[in-house]
Amino acid sequence: MKAYEKHVAVNDVSFEVPAGSIFGLLGPNGAGKTSLIRIITTITRADEGTVFLDGEKLNSRHPEEIGYMPEERGLYRKMKVGEHLTYLARLKGLSATDAKAKISGWMEKFGIEDWWDKKVEELSKGMQQKIQFIATVVHEPKLLILDEPFSGLDPVNTNLIKDEIHSLRGKGMSIIFSTHRMEQVEEICEHIVLINKGENVLEGKVSAVKDRFKQNLFELEYEGELPEGLLERAKVIDQQPGRLTVQVAETTESNTLLRAMLDRGVFVKRFQEILPTLNEIFIRQVN
Amino acid sequence: MDKLWLIIKREYLTRVTRRSFILATLLTPLAFGLFFVVAGLIFQYESDDSRRIAIIDEGNIFDRSIKDEENLYFKFVDTDLETLRQNFDDFDYDGILVVPKVKDVMATRHTIYYYADKQPSLDIDALIRDRVRGQMRDYKIEALQLDPQQLEAIDTRIELEPEPIDDESADASKLTGAIAAGIGGIMGIIMYIVVFIYGMMVMRSVMEEKTSRIVEVMISSVRPFQLMLGKIVGVGAVGLTQVAIWAILIPIIILVSSLLFGIDSSAQMEMAQQQPGAANFNPEDTEAMVALAIEEFKSLNWWLILPMFIFFFLGGYFLYSSMFAAVGSAMGDDLGEGQSLTIPITIPVILAFYIMIVAIQAPNSSLAVWSSIFPLFSPIVMPARLAFSPPVWEVVLSVVLLAATAIFFVWLSGRIYRVGILMYGKKVTLKELGKWLFYKD
């Protein structure tokens, strides 16, 4: 729990980030995401409650095992890229030689080896973002927290960072990914937690969450006429020539419906359950 | 500790390697040197056009002898004034001086007349009057049949020699006060400038970190307090470096430029002596005075003054720059909006400056004594009093209080800072800052 003067920002939020997974921290603006992240990154302390990292209560050594890229990003404008990255890496506990080697490795990976002596202010915003990403991951943290990591990036660089996130996950890094771009969550995250007004609304595996919120909707495409009485047990949501969206009472009903159609000689081209998008779930839960 | 060191190093190195720092550090002494040269040349400047002056000495006061001056030539003439005036252009004179007969030897006023197409310049005016006065004196001594030696004996120069009341205290010479005031004043002014320049530097830097949003990345690695302390120490080291370089360069440049341009610093001294109140200064005395001053200067307890000066430098700097840091953390992008928050900090500094000026004139007044103990004033007032050898207990008390207050203020500012740097888009008042003190982490 974290309360600011007369205002409780985060209250009774509890979730677990499985090690080595990509975890979506979702919530509308002002839900308390940033306050929560600041607690996890040890920037502020919770008034009540505890955060465990790898089974250990959050302590003063942990900042070195966390990499945090805030939504509002910034770098020292007058510093040179190489110097800047070295400085941030050393503050995360890397030795000077270690830091240099790792930074060089990352710069090579991003094809920006020749930026070492460039000043930060000479770089475009997107370029600075790459630097920021390197700064966040260079010390190989156990936990990576990315707040809107793709904002301001072009599609090429978005993919570049996305690939890196996946490959870091493959190396066993746990990643908390905060955003309100639901299509990105759907694409990247395995687990999510949704918080609203400082409380968590739902939590779990993306597939399980979707399953929980499904409305037994099915879409089917067919050819020919639909016989009379076929749809009396299902609720038609939408009907167009050759296409139909229905809602059934239970998931198993769908099989009954399909069988009945096949039995009556309807040529079924496609029969598919429609799962709610995270976007829909988000909007429904938040309102 | 390692991280604090890293922060200090960055804050220091990024500043001292910046071109603007190097320029300011080198150009300031040069500017001083230039000022010194220009001022020296101005004081040395006398009219450079040569003048020839005809003297009509009606009462023969001069007995036909007068010393020529550089660029100024006198000639006694017997031609009458009217002829001279009418043919002024033909004669090659720039002016005609008429010294009328002395009618009454007892008169204390005597008018002489200067005819010229141009007004006499101030220095010529002064020179002529000086010459005539001297000659008039000799003339009157003779006319009144006075004994010049007796006359000499009438004028007595009084010197006040301060003596200690008991034998233990150091014997001060008459110059101690003046020298101590000079050194005290310089130290006080340096402190005043230091607090402002470097305190403001800390404030601006905190603000930049906040508005550029780097601060959130930083404090996910280090404690806000470490970041603030690192910045204060780093900038303080920059300040020490700059002041040390100035302390070495300025005297060197002044020495070199005075040798190069042949400026005699006594020219400036003479000028100062021509001010009212400092009149009747015998030039022969000047040399003796300088020697005595150097002696006095050496005899000051520098082993106490210098370390104490550095201590008050650091104490005052920490005290005020931590407050500037707290204010900087509370400011948003708008510099003007937060400016009002700096007023409570600048008022004590300015007050201390004025007290310091009074303190060097009356170093043992109760205002000076208590101000040099009160921690918000002591960094500026105490260095100004140090050369007057204040009682030990006052210095010790002042040191202890300043150290404790500086530590307390750094801690206090740290509490405001940690809240301020994460607070955006809020207009902050002093009351608000007070509340932040009591926020939990």
Side-chain angles (χ1 to χ4, degrees):
Chain A
M1 199 265 273
K2 177 77 191 174
Y4 295 104
E5 203 187 355
K6 293 181 202 147
H7 170 70
V8 180
V10 180
N11 189 19
D12 205 15
V13 170
S14 161
F15 57 88
E16 209 170 300
V17 180
S21 71
I22 303 182
F23 187 93
L25 174 61
L26 319 178
N29 298 328
K33 289 191 302 268
T34 305
S35 298
L36 191 59
I37 288 174
R38 282 181 179 168
I39 293 171
I40 301 172
T41 50
T42 71
I43 289 176
T44 52
R45 216 178 317 187
D47 300 334
E48 270 170 40
T50 349
V51 179
F52 292 94
L53 184 60
D54 245 3
E56 213 180 328
K57 227 172 142 173
L58 213 55
N59 60 45
S60 59
R61 276 177 296 104
H62 278 142
E64 296 184 359
E65 297 179 353
I66 298 174
Y68 172 40
M69 175 150 135
E71 183 181 1
E72 297 278 3
R73 287 172 263 272
L75 296 165
Y76 290 112
R77 298 170 43 75
K78 300 271 175 205
M79 269 181 112
K80 287 178 183 165
V81 170
E83 265 171 33
H84 202 316
L85 284 173
T86 312
Y87 178 54
L88 292 176
R90 295 210 61 198
L91 287 179
K92 287 290 190 187
L94 290 188
S95 71
T97 43
D98 231 14
K100 206 172 168 194
K102 283 190 171 136
I103 293 162
S104 301
W106 273 100
M107 289 177 88
E108 225 166 282
K109 195 181 270 183
F110 283 176
I112 52 173
E113 305 94 310
D114 50 336
W115 285 9
W116 189 279
D117 281 324
K118 266 201 179 140
K119 274 195 179 167
V120 170
E121 61 187 349
E122 294 170 36
L123 304 179
S124 74
K125 236 181 157 192
M127 289 155 119
Q128 288 187 20
Q129 195 134 330
K130 276 191 196 172
I131 305 297
Q132 198 106 38
F133 184 78
I134 297 177
T136 315
V137 298
V138 69
H139 57 293
E140 290 164 6
K142 281 183 185 165
L143 176 64
L144 189 60
I145 300 174
L146 305 171
D147 200 347
E148 298 287 0
F150 306 118
S151 71
L153 282 183
D154 63 36
V156 176
N157 283 315
T158 303
N159 276 336
L160 187 73
I161 301 286
K162 219 180 270 177
D163 290 345
E164 283 313 322
I165 292 175
H166 280 297
S167 96
L168 289 170
R169 200 268 319 261
K171 287 178 192 152
M173 215 179 266
S174 311
I175 298 162
I176 295 180
F177 176 49
S178 168
T179 184
H180 31 244
R181 302 276 303 276
M182 288 306 140
E183 75 283 0
Q184 285 174 354
V185 179
E186 209 135 353
E187 191 187 337
I188 298 172
C189 300
E190 293 139 276
H191 292 76
I192 57 158
V193 64
L194 174 62
I195 62 173
N196 188 24
K197 292 176 185 145
E199 304 187 15
N200 59 346
V201 180
L202 63 93
E203 186 215 341
K205 275 188 108 150
V206 172
S207 53
V209 167
K210 285 188 157 195
D211 216 45
R212 184 140 40 105
F213 284 90
K214 72 178 178 187
Q215 292 169 296
N216 297 331
L217 286 178
F218 288 85
E219 191 178 67
L220 54 107
E221 273 178 47
Y222 58 92
E223 255 171 44
E225 289 290 305
L226 275 186
E228 290 281 315
L230 185 70
L231 297 171
E232 59 194 8
R233 296 187 62 185
K235 189 173 154 203
V236 177
I237 304 289
D238 184 37
Q239 190 163 22
Q240 279 160 25
R243 192 153 65 186
L244 189 67
T245 309
V246 293
Q247 186 173 33
V248 294
E250 274 175 69
T251 320
T252 46
E253 287 273 312
S254 63
N255 278 355
T256 322
L257 178 68
L258 180 60
R259 190 170 298 122
M261 290 184 93
L262 294 174
D263 286 350
R264 301 273 198 104
V266 178
F267 175 52
V268 177
K269 283 162 75 179
R270 191 164 69 89
F271 189 87
Q272 191 184 25
E273 183 175 18
I274 305 174
L275 286 174
T277 61
L278 283 177
N279 209 25
E280 287 161 1
I281 297 172
F282 182 95
I283 291 169
R284 207 177 323 154
Q285 286 302 302
V286 164
N287 287 333
Chain B
M1 220 39 216
D2 272 358
K3 291 183 182 175
L4 181 62
W5 177 240
L6 280 171
I7 296 169
I8 295 172
K9 215 165 82 180
R10 191 200 84 87
E11 296 290 343
Y12 181 76
L13 287 179
T14 51
R15 281 192 177 74
V16 295
T17 53
R18 214 171 275 173
R19 201 174 305 141
S20 57
F21 173 85
I22 297 172
L23 283 181
T25 309
L26 297 182
L27 287 186
T28 306
L30 279 180
F32 257 93
L34 189 69
F35 173 78
F36 180 80
V37 168
V38 170
L41 290 176
I42 289 172
F43 283 135
Q44 271 182 338
Y45 182 87
E46 285 159 13
S47 5
D48 43 4
D49 51 339
S50 60
R51 297 273 178 120
R52 290 161 46 83
I53 295 170
I55 300 181
I56 301 176
D57 189 5
E58 289 171 348
N60 200 16
I61 294 168
F62 279 97
D63 203 14
R64 300 230 145 221
S65 82
I66 185 165
K67 234 169 74 201
D68 281 338
E69 202 51 37
E70 203 181 339
N71 299 329
L72 196 57
Y73 307 97
F74 297 103
K75 186 153 197 307
F76 291 97
V77 289
D78 298 317
T79 331
D80 67 302
L81 180 64
E82 278 315 305
T83 325
L84 276 174
R85 280 178 77 180
Q86 268 153 29
N87 303 300
F88 186 72
D89 291 334
D90 298 337
F91 292 104
D92 196 17
Y93 294 121
D94 295 286
I96 308 158
L97 184 68
V98 179
V99 184
K101 264 193 187 121
V102 180
K103 287 185 195 114
D104 178 8
V105 193
M106 299 305 286
T108 54
R109 181 185 288 268
H110 190 66
T111 311
I112 56 177
Y113 302 91
Y114 184 76
Y115 297 88
D117 49 354
K118 273 181 270 175
Q119 286 279 315
S121 65
L122 277 181
D123 54 342
I124 290 182
D125 178 300
L127 193 83
I128 292 176
R129 279 189 294 115
D130 192 56
R131 282 291 155 79
V132 176
R133 188 183 339 111
Q135 203 58 43
M136 187 68 81
R137 189 181 143 90
D138 291 346
Y139 175 82
K140 282 185 175 178
I141 287 174
E142 223 182 289
L144 293 167
Q145 297 185 331
L146 299 173
D147 180 357
Q149 272 173 331
Q150 280 178 349
L151 264 180
E152 205 72 35
I154 286 175
D155 258 344
T156 316
R157 211 183 142 96
I158 307 299
E159 291 182 5
L160 185 95
E161 180 75 26
E163 291 294 330
I165 202 77
D166 53 68
D167 292 338
E168 281 123 70
S169 319
D171 188 358
S173 88
K174 59 184 174 184
L175 268 185
T176 308
I179 298 270
I183 292 168
I186 290 171
M187 288 195 167
I189 289 169
I190 292 176
M191 288 303 307
Y192 174 77
I193 294 171
V194 158
V195 164
F196 265 122
I197 294 185
Y198 303 105
M200 287 288 188
M201 203 185 267
V202 168
M203 184 180 82
R204 227 173 311 118
S205 162
V206 168
M207 250 180 65
E208 271 168 24
E209 259 173 20
K210 184 183 170 183
T211 50
S212 77
R213 310 275 176 162
I214 176 75
V215 74
E216 200 157 346
V217 174
M218 292 299 297
I219 58 174
S220 70
S221 300
V222 298
R223 305 297 319 154
F225 186 72
Q226 282 177 310
L227 186 58
M228 187 188 86
L229 192 63
K231 183 175 296 295
I232 291 176
V233 174
V235 173
V238 173
L240 272 181
T241 309
Q242 199 161 40
V243 171
I245 292 175
W246 285 344
I248 295 167
L249 277 189
I250 290 177
I252 290 179
I253 286 188
I254 287 184
L255 193 70
V256 169
S257 57
S258 61
L259 287 179
L260 272 182
F261 294 89
I263 288 164
D264 186 2
S265 54
S266 62
Q268 291 174 21
M269 222 185 258
E270 265 170 44
M271 194 66 190
Q273 283 153 17
Q274 282 170 23
Q275 309 295 325
N280 296 330
F281 217 79
N282 199 338
E284 277 102 73
D285 281 355
T286 318
E287 245 162 79
M289 290 282 273
V290 170
L292 187 58
I294 291 171
E295 202 53 41
E296 279 301 326
F297 194 74
K298 279 186 191 153
S299 77
L300 281 173
N301 193 354
W302 289 103
W303 290 111
L304 177 74
I305 292 177
L306 277 186
M308 276 295 121
F309 180 71
I310 292 172
F311 171 83
F312 281 99
F313 175 99
L314 291 177
Y317 167 75
F318 271 94
L319 182 68
Y320 280 103
S321 65
S322 67
M323 287 196 270
F324 276 117
V327 166
S329 77
M331 282 190 191
D333 303 340
D334 186 6
L335 186 68
E337 186 183 283
Q339 210 72 38
S340 62
L341 288 174
T342 63
I343 291 174
I345 310 175
T346 51
I347 284 176
V349 181
I350 292 168
L351 272 183
F353 184 72
Y354 285 121
I355 294 173
M356 182 273 288
I357 291 172
V358 175
I360 56 177
Q361 286 156 15
N364 292 314
S365 65
S366 48
L367 174 72
V369 170
W370 292 112
S371 302
S372 65
I373 290 170
F374 180 60
L376 282 179
F377 297 158
S378 65
I380 291 172
V381 181
M382 192 47 117
R385 281 188 71 214
L386 278 176
F388 293 98
S389 355
V392 176
W393 71 267
E394 287 176 17
V395 180
V396 171
L397 182 61
S398 173
V399 164
V400 171
L401 274 179
L402 178 60
T405 317
I407 292 169
F408 178 66
F409 269 70
V410 170
W411 174 81
L412 215 60
S413 301
R415 292 194 64 83
I416 294 176
Y417 177 85
R418 92 214 134 110
V419 180
I421 47 173
L422 291 174
M423 203 68 87
Y424 290 100
K426 207 170 174 185
K427 197 172 157 135
V428 178
T429 58
L430 269 185
K431 200 174 142 209
E432 192 85 21
L433 290 190
K435 274 191 205 154
W436 292 358
L437 283 177
F438 303 103
Y439 273 18
K440 283 168 285 178
D441 265 327

